[in-house]
Amino acid sequence: MEEIGLPLPPVRCLSKEEAARYLGVGVTLLTELEVPFIKLGRRCVYDVLDLDAWLEDYEQRERGRAGKGKSSWLVKQESTKGRILGAGGLQQPSRTEDAYARALGLKTENKRKRILPS
């Protein structure tokens, strides 16, 4: 009679190629990103748990970096008195400014065209 053995657990340590495929990147990018690995003799293996933790940490760092510039673009409605400000300088007001204000549900004012002296 043959013994029926228990199935092996899922593989926890991956090769460099498998780890790159797991993260959805190339082997070169995996090396450049300095993803943590474990040295077993001369082999480098990537623990799936370490890959998941590293990816979570990387995602948080990238979100933080992307969020830094966003706050400077937000304009409080109190500071603009409910209107969208046009560009400064000698530029003529944009027709899209009114369309944008209407899309946001803001009231638009009829603007008089300025005639610049020649």
Side-chain angles (χ1 to χ4, degrees):
M1 268 180 111
E2 266 185 54
E3 283 187 39
I4 300 175
L6 295 174
L8 290 174
V11 177
R12 183 168 161 183
C13 291
L14 307 173
S15 68
K16 185 181 271 191
E17 292 78 17
E18 291 169 334
R21 201 170 330 120
Y22 180 79
L23 292 176
V25 299
V27 176
T28 306
L29 183 58
L30 180 77
T31 306
E32 289 173 5
L33 290 173
E34 298 177 358
V35 177
F37 60 87
I38 301 167
K39 195 100 164 145
L40 292 177
R42 289 189 285 174
R43 282 189 68 200
C44 294
V45 294
Y46 294 83
D47 188 339
V48 173
L49 299 177
D50 288 344
L51 292 175
D52 291 338
W54 176 85
L55 190 58
E56 284 290 322
D57 182 53
Y58 184 81
E59 184 180 20
Q60 292 300 321
R61 283 183 286 152
E62 288 301 307
R63 273 195 196 147
R65 185 179 305 157
K68 287 181 183 174
K70 288 183 182 178
S71 61
S72 64
W73 288 98
L74 298 177
V75 177
K76 292 182 180 177
Q77 195 163 359
E78 305 88 55
S79 67
T80 61
K81 295 184 177 91
R83 346 176 311 230
I84 296 176
L85 303 176
L90 298 175
Q91 294 180 344
Q92 294 294 324
S94 170
R95 282 189 260 155
T96 58
E97 180 182 340
D98 289 332
Y100 183 65
R102 281 193 301 272
L104 291 176
L106 302 174
K107 293 182 180 181
T108 58
E109 300 173 11
N110 291 336
K111 297 179 186 174
R112 295 181 187 163
K113 291 186 179 180
R114 292 186 345 195
I115 300 174
L116 299 174
S118 309

